[in-house]
Amino acid sequence: MEKLISLFVFASGAIGMVNPLFARVSQHPKLFTVLVPYSVYHWSRSITALVGFCLIYLSFNLWQKKRDAWLGSIALIIISLGFILSRFGLEHIRLVHDKSLSGSLLLLTLLPHIISLILLWIARRSYTVKSERRKLAVAFKRAAFLVLFAFIYGALGFFLLETKDLGMNFQLTDAIVRTAQELTFQSNSLAATAHGKWLLESLDTMGIAAFALVFLNLFKPIEYELATLPRERAQAKDALEKYGDSSLDYFKLWHDKSYFFLDDDAFIAYRTEHNVAIALADPTGPSEKIEQLTRDFINHCHNSGWKVAFMQTSPKHLNMYKKLGLNALKIGEDGVVNLDNFVAETIRKKTFKGPLKKLEKEGYILEKLVPPHSEAILNEVQAVSNEWLSLPGRKERTFTLGTFDRNTLQSDNIFAMKNSEGKIVAFVNQIRDYCKAEATIDMMRHRSEVPSGAMDFLFGKLLLMLHGEGFKYFSLSLAALSGVGDEPGASVEEKAVHLIYEHLNRFFSYKGLRAYKDKFDPEWQDRFLIHEGGPPGLIKTTLALVAVMEPEEA
């Protein structure tokens, strides 16, 4: 219903905007001049076009059920109707001799206005969404669309002019050029007729309105990106230093996250796609604030017209999520390696002992590279990353992972596997892990051709080095879909995910990943997707998750 309404309001705006361009009154009846001065009539045409332009802008926000857009649309449609009806008497007399054509023009203009007004009133209770942070990319697209419609208005207006109006017959190219000049206030055109004068004045008004709406559309996203977001990210970083407890917490500071705070020390990091706000892991903050923070976040999302989801949560807050009306679905298991056990037992097994001994003899080493890194090192690891990305099925992911970024790597330790010639053949980057005494990595990338057992060598040496530095645990991160739906008492959704796991394994090798991580003898910890709305909500959340895993456009 809301989508249909936004289309009708868009149509009302577009028709109301261009309608005055077709209504040409060369002479003004003397009696009407006494009642309504000719300048007032032309002024009303400009207002009608301007109101139509504003309705086009509001139609975008009606699509998102914005309450302010609903109020603004109601007011502007009523104003537009008033001006259209007040002008119709004169236009009916002087516009054309064919009265039926004049009536048809009126009907074409009034009908979408009236239908929009009726539909807006019927659906008034649906418009509850408050203003929220808009993505900069979306704001730029809307700004470009507004400028385009201002150009269409001007170009059409010049194209419809008669030669006597401005002394020339405008072709389409001429009309576009002159519109650009008028909208940017670079023209000194003088009109010879009242209609031509009105068009130039209305274009000045339209230019001011277009720049004002573009500024309004871009101001909040730009202000958020340049001022609010950096401040909030620094605030989140301070909170993580006190209360961080997850290997995923590092990615809460990644550039694709927005923040919701309770006081200064409790926050949720999230990203929105398809009107779903997906939070990363559990909320961060003092334990006594977590439930209120989550409750406030849910209310904020609902007021913004979003569904709520939490990705890769631990079991510790499951009862709270369920208490707040959310659903929990197991989506995999996080493998955590006890490094004492690994050094004492696992590394001695043949799965690691063989590759380590063989590749050491061939001259391979694992070297820890500490930042800042030279351009030569960054160039070499980027070449490795590019080769890895060229392999089938490999691509950049985000939200719970980082993408290759030279600036970010300048803060990370890089563990580089080198051959006997000193060439880097594989690498991992160590990132901040907020779990006490735990280490983890982000990217694990290798060249298109590496010796057999290379990753066993890299990880065996890596865990030995980390243990030597005093770390007690190592997070292998999520084994997606592992252990889902194969336990007694599993939910219908979990059993459905288990079927997906079984059938898609030949394409994505989920079992292969789990089997590889099992070589490290980790302790497996359940991870959950928290969502709302039952199975339909799960489908919508899944589509949003697919979108957030893609690198965000600037």
Side-chain angles (χ1 to χ4, degrees):
M1 181 66 166
E2 293 78 17
K3 304 296 187 287
L4 178 64
I5 292 173
S6 65
L7 291 174
F8 267 103
V9 172
F10 180 90
S12 298
I15 293 173
M17 185 177 173
V18 302
N19 174 268
L21 299 175
F22 292 90
R24 183 186 185 92
V25 182
S26 57
Q27 297 179 3
H28 199 66
K30 294 182 178 180
L31 178 60
F32 203 86
T33 303
V34 176
L35 300 175
V36 181
Y38 197 33
S39 60
V40 172
Y41 166 74
H42 282 288
W43 176 76
S44 72
R45 298 169 71 196
S46 298
I47 293 295
T48 302
L50 182 60
V51 167
F53 188 56
C54 293
L55 283 173
I56 290 173
Y57 173 74
L58 290 176
S59 68
F60 300 136
N61 295 314
L62 286 173
W63 192 279
Q64 298 175 322
K65 303 181 183 180
K66 301 288 186 64
R67 183 66 180 176
D68 290 345
W70 181 86
L71 292 170
S73 297
I74 290 285
L76 288 180
I77 288 174
I78 292 173
I79 291 171
S80 182
L81 284 171
F83 279 113
I84 291 170
L85 291 171
S86 67
R87 293 198 338 264
F88 177 64
L90 179 60
E91 293 176 359
H92 188 74
I93 296 171
R94 307 298 301 176
L95 180 61
V96 288
H97 297 296
D98 186 345
K99 303 294 180 67
S100 62
L101 177 58
S102 182
S104 298
L105 289 173
L106 177 68
L107 183 62
L108 178 64
T109 307
L110 289 181
L111 195 57
H113 281 66
I114 294 171
I115 293 175
S116 297
L117 199 60
I118 293 172
L119 292 177
L120 282 168
W121 183 253
I122 291 173
R124 61 190 181 278
R125 290 187 176 86
S126 299
Y127 293 90
T128 58
V129 176
K130 298 179 181 178
S131 179
E132 88 282 350
R133 199 269 287 196
R134 184 181 302 143
K135 293 180 181 178
L136 191 57
V138 175
F140 274 116
K141 289 177 183 177
R142 291 190 181 181
F145 203 73
L146 289 170
V147 172
L148 174 63
F149 256 83
F151 261 87
I152 291 173
Y153 173 84
L156 183 60
F158 279 115
F159 187 74
L160 293 174
L161 286 180
E162 297 177 4
T163 303
K164 63 181 180 180
D165 293 314
L166 288 179
M168 68 176 292
N169 182 28
F170 285 91
Q171 301 301 314
L172 184 58
T173 303
D174 301 323
I176 292 173
V177 171
R178 185 61 65 87
T179 298
Q181 293 173 342
E182 289 293 335
L183 290 177
T184 54
F185 312 106
Q186 298 181 47
S187 174
N188 295 314
S189 302
L190 295 176
T193 65
H195 183 79
K197 181 180 179 181
W198 165 78
L199 178 63
L200 296 179
E201 291 174 350
S202 72
L203 271 173
D204 290 340
T205 304
M206 195 65 65
I208 294 171
F211 283 113
L213 287 178
V214 166
F215 175 80
L216 179 66
N217 183 69
L218 294 176
F219 175 76
K220 284 187 177 181
I222 291 176
E223 190 272 339
Y224 180 84
E225 294 287 341
L226 297 182
T228 304
L229 185 56
R231 173 178 53 78
E232 290 184 343
R233 185 171 289 122
Q235 190 175 330
K237 187 175 182 180
D238 290 341
L240 284 173
E241 293 295 335
K242 296 179 182 178
Y243 305 107
D245 62 357
S246 168
S247 59
L248 284 174
D249 282 344
Y250 170 84
F251 297 107
K252 292 180 179 180
L253 303 177
W254 202 252
H255 63 83
D256 61 344
K257 306 301 187 300
S258 298
Y259 301 97
F260 181 85
F261 282 90
L262 176 65
D263 301 326
D264 294 331
D265 58 352
F267 76 95
I268 291 172
Y270 69 97
R271 180 176 163 187
T272 57
E273 289 290 347
H274 303 321
N275 291 326
V276 179
I278 301 178
L280 177 59
D282 293 299
T284 299
S287 57
E288 66 272 13
K289 292 185 178 181
I290 295 299
E291 182 172 334
Q292 187 59 51
L293 168 65
T294 308
R295 190 187 306 275
D296 290 352
F297 177 68
I298 293 171
N299 291 335
H300 167 73
C301 291
H302 290 172
N303 287 335
S304 299
W306 304 330
K307 295 291 185 182
V308 177
F310 290 80
M311 177 61 172
Q312 288 195 40
T313 68
S314 66
K316 64 182 177 181
H317 295 307
L318 280 183
N319 290 335
M320 177 199 70
Y321 294 127
K322 293 176 181 178
K323 177 183 175 182
L324 296 176
L326 304 177
N327 310 119
L329 174 67
K330 183 178 175 181
I331 57 170
E333 296 174 325
D334 190 353
V336 178
V337 181
N338 184 308
L339 292 181
D340 287 338
N341 294 340
F342 181 83
V343 171
E345 300 176 14
T346 309
I347 193 68
R348 302 180 187 279
K349 296 180 179 180
K350 62 180 181 180
T351 51
F352 286 102
K353 190 175 181 179
L356 263 65
K357 186 176 181 180
K358 172 179 176 290
L359 293 177
E360 279 179 342
K361 285 185 177 181
E362 294 178 6
Y364 286 92
I365 62 170
L366 184 69
E367 183 178 346
K368 180 180 179 180
L369 306 175
V370 180
H373 305 294
S374 68
E375 284 297 307
I377 289 175
L378 292 175
N379 289 340
E380 191 168 3
V381 294
Q382 184 163 15
V384 173
S385 177
N386 290 341
E387 282 193 42
W388 182 83
L389 289 170
S390 70
L391 296 172
R394 308 297 187 186
K395 63 184 298 186
E396 296 281 23
R397 297 291 185 184
T398 187
F399 195 71
T400 59
L401 297 168
T403 57
F404 188 93
D405 181 82
R406 295 169 74 98
N407 293 329
T408 302
L409 279 177
Q410 284 291 17
S411 302
D412 299 342
N413 292 326
I414 296 175
F415 289 85
M417 180 179 172
K418 296 183 176 181
N419 62 17
S420 58
E421 299 174 352
K423 180 181 178 181
I424 297 176
V425 297
F427 75 92
V428 297
N429 64 308
Q430 182 186 5
I431 59 173
R432 173 71 183 274
D433 188 330
Y434 286 86
C435 285
K436 186 177 181 181
E438 184 178 274
T440 193
I441 62 167
D442 178 19
M443 292 180 291
M444 177 190 70
R445 301 195 173 177
H446 56 78
R447 293 192 181 274
S448 55
E449 294 185 5
V450 291
S452 175
M455 301 319 292
D456 292 335
F457 176 90
L458 188 156
F459 276 101
K461 290 290 188 180
L462 171 65
L463 268 58
L464 287 173
M465 294 173 70
L466 292 173
H467 181 262
E469 294 177 6
F471 288 101
K472 297 296 183 183
Y473 305 97
F474 181 80
S475 172
L476 293 168
S477 71
L478 184 74
L481 305 181
S482 173
V484 179
D486 57 0
E487 300 174 354
S491 68
V492 174
E493 290 87 351
E494 287 176 342
K495 291 178 180 178
V497 171
H498 179 70
L499 288 175
I500 295 172
Y501 173 65
E502 293 293 333
H503 285 83
L504 294 186
N505 181 67
R506 63 194 180 100
F507 298 109
F508 298 104
S509 192
Y510 294 126
K511 290 184 178 180
L513 180 61
R514 168 63 186 253
Y516 179 77
K517 292 183 177 182
D518 262 335
K519 295 187 344 182
F520 295 86
D521 295 329
E523 174 190 346
W524 290 104
Q525 301 174 356
D526 293 344
R527 291 294 179 262
F528 298 87
L529 171 64
I530 306 300
H531 65 96
E532 64 177 329
L538 177 59
I539 293 173
K540 186 172 184 179
T541 299
T542 302
L543 294 174
L545 279 170
V546 172
V548 301
M549 294 297 180
E550 300 296 328
E552 189 175 34
E553 296 181 3

Coordinates of all heavy atoms in Angstrom, one line a residue, residues 5 9 51 54-55 57-59 62 66-79 116-117 120:
I5 N 1.2 4.3 -2.8 CA 0.9 5.7 -2.4 C 2.1 6.6 -2.8 O 1.9 7.7 -3.4 CB 0.7 5.9 -0.9 CG1 -0.6 5.2 -0.5 CG2 0.7 7.3 -0.4 CD1 -0.9 5.1 1.0
V9 N 1.9 9.8 -5.3 CA 2.4 11.2 -4.9 C 3.5 11.6 -5.8 O 3.6 12.8 -6.2 CB 3.0 11.1 -3.4 CG1 3.7 12.4 -3.1 CG2 1.8 10.9 -2.4
V51 N 5.7 23.2 -5.7 CA 5.1 22.2 -4.8 C 5.2 20.8 -5.4 O 5.5 19.8 -4.7 CB 3.6 22.6 -4.6 CG1 2.9 21.4 -4.0 CG2 3.5 23.8 -3.7
C54 N 8.7 19.5 -4.8 CA 8.8 19.0 -3.4 C 8.1 17.7 -3.1 O 8.5 16.9 -2.3 CB 8.2 20.1 -2.4 SG 9.2 21.6 -2.4
L55 N 6.9 17.5 -3.8 CA 6.2 16.3 -3.7 C 7.0 15.1 -4.2 O 7.0 14.0 -3.7 CB 4.9 16.3 -4.4 CG 3.8 17.1 -3.7 CD1 2.5 17.2 -4.6 CD2 3.4 16.4 -2.4
Y57 N 10.3 14.9 -4.1 CA 11.2 14.6 -3.0 C 10.6 13.8 -1.9 O 11.2 12.9 -1.4 CB 11.8 16.0 -2.5 CG 12.7 15.8 -1.3 CD1 14.0 15.3 -1.4 CD2 12.2 16.2 0.0 CE1 14.8 15.2 -0.3 CE2 13.0 16.1 1.1 CZ 14.3 15.6 0.9 OH 15.1 15.4 2.0
L58 N 9.4 14.2 -1.5 CA 8.7 13.5 -0.4 C 8.3 12.1 -0.7 O 8.2 11.3 0.2 CB 7.5 14.4 0.1 CG 7.8 15.7 0.8 CD1 6.5 16.4 1.1 CD2 8.6 15.5 2.1
S59 N 8.0 11.9 -2.0 CA 7.6 10.5 -2.4 C 8.7 9.5 -2.1 O 8.4 8.3 -1.7 CB 7.3 10.5 -3.9 OG 8.4 10.6 -4.7
L62 N 8.1 8.8 1.6 CA 6.9 8.0 1.8 C 7.1 6.5 1.6 O 6.5 5.7 2.2 CB 5.8 8.5 0.9 CG 5.2 9.9 1.2 CD1 4.2 10.3 0.1 CD2 4.4 9.8 2.5
K66 N 7.9 7.3 6.3 CA 8.2 8.4 7.2 C 7.0 9.3 7.6 O 6.3 9.7 6.7 CB 9.3 9.3 6.5 CG 10.5 8.6 6.0 CD 11.4 8.3 7.2 CE 12.7 7.8 6.8 NZ 13.5 8.7 6.0
R67 N 6.9 9.5 8.8 CA 5.8 10.3 9.4 C 5.8 11.7 8.9 O 4.8 12.3 8.5 CB 5.8 10.2 10.9 CG 4.6 11.0 11.6 CD 3.3 10.3 11.2 NE 2.1 11.0 11.8 CZ 0.9 10.6 11.6 NH1 0.6 9.6 10.9 NH2 -0.1 11.3 12.2
D68 N 7.0 12.3 8.9 CA 7.2 13.7 8.5 C 6.8 13.9 7.0 O 6.2 14.9 6.6 CB 8.6 14.2 8.7 CG 8.9 14.4 10.2 OD1 7.9 14.4 11.0 OD2 10.1 14.5 10.6
A69 N 7.2 12.9 6.2 CA 6.9 12.9 4.8 C 5.4 12.8 4.6 O 4.8 13.5 3.7 CB 7.6 11.8 4.0
W70 N 4.6 12.1 5.4 CA 3.2 12.0 5.3 C 2.5 13.3 5.6 O 1.7 13.8 4.8 CB 2.7 10.9 6.3 CG 1.2 10.7 6.2 CD1 0.5 9.9 5.4 CD2 0.2 11.4 7.0 NE1 -0.9 10.0 5.6 CE2 -1.1 10.9 6.6 CE3 0.3 12.3 8.0 CZ2 -2.2 11.4 7.2 CZ3 -0.9 12.8 8.6 CH2 -2.2 12.3 8.2
L71 N 3.0 14.0 6.6 CA 2.4 15.3 7.0 C 2.7 16.3 5.9 O 1.8 17.1 5.5 CB 3.0 15.7 8.3 CG 2.6 14.9 9.6 CD1 3.4 15.4 10.8 CD2 1.1 15.2 9.9
G72 N 3.9 16.3 5.4 CA 4.3 17.2 4.4 C 3.5 17.0 3.1 O 3.1 18.0 2.4
S73 N 3.3 15.8 2.7 CA 2.6 15.5 1.5 C 1.2 15.9 1.6 O 0.6 16.5 0.6 CB 2.7 14.0 1.2 OG 4.0 13.6 1.0
I74 N 0.5 15.6 2.7 CA -0.9 16.1 2.9 C -1.0 17.6 2.7 O -1.8 18.1 2.0 CB -1.4 15.7 4.3 CG1 -1.6 14.2 4.4 CG2 -2.7 16.4 4.6 CD1 -2.8 13.6 3.7
A75 N -0.1 18.3 3.4 CA -0.1 19.8 3.3 C 0.1 20.3 1.9 O -0.6 21.2 1.4 CB 0.9 20.4 4.3
L76 N 1.1 19.8 1.2 CA 1.5 20.2 -0.1 C 0.4 19.9 -1.2 O 0.2 20.7 -2.1 CB 2.8 19.7 -0.5 CG 4.1 20.3 0.2 CD1 5.3 19.6 -0.3 CD2 4.1 21.8 0.0
I77 N -0.2 18.7 -1.0 CA -1.2 18.3 -2.0 C -2.4 19.3 -1.9 O -3.0 19.7 -2.9 CB -1.6 16.9 -1.8 CG1 -0.5 15.9 -2.3 CG2 -2.9 16.6 -2.6 CD1 -0.7 14.5 -2.0
I78 N -2.8 19.6 -0.6 CA -3.9 20.5 -0.4 C -3.5 21.9 -1.0 O -4.4 22.6 -1.7 CB -4.2 20.7 1.1 CG1 -4.8 19.3 1.6 CG2 -5.2 21.8 1.4 CD1 -5.0 19.3 3.1
I79 N -2.3 22.4 -0.8 CA -1.9 23.7 -1.3 C -1.9 23.6 -2.9 O -2.4 24.5 -3.5 CB -0.5 24.0 -0.8 CG1 -0.5 24.3 0.7 CG2 0.1 25.2 -1.6 CD1 0.9 24.5 1.3
S116 N -4.1 10.5 -4.4 CA -3.0 10.5 -3.4 C -3.5 10.9 -2.0 O -3.2 10.3 -1.0 CB -1.9 11.4 -3.8 OG -1.3 11.0 -5.0
L117 N -4.3 12.0 -2.0 CA -4.9 12.5 -0.7 C -5.7 11.5 0.0 O -5.6 11.2 1.2 CB -5.7 13.8 -1.0 CG -5.9 14.7 0.2 CD1 -4.6 15.2 0.8 CD2 -6.8 15.9 -0.2
L120 N -3.5 8.5 1.2 CA -2.7 9.0 2.4 C -3.5 9.0 3.6 O -3.0 8.6 4.7 CB -2.1 10.4 2.1 CG -0.9 10.4 1.2 CD1 -0.6 11.9 0.8 CD2 0.4 9.8 1.9

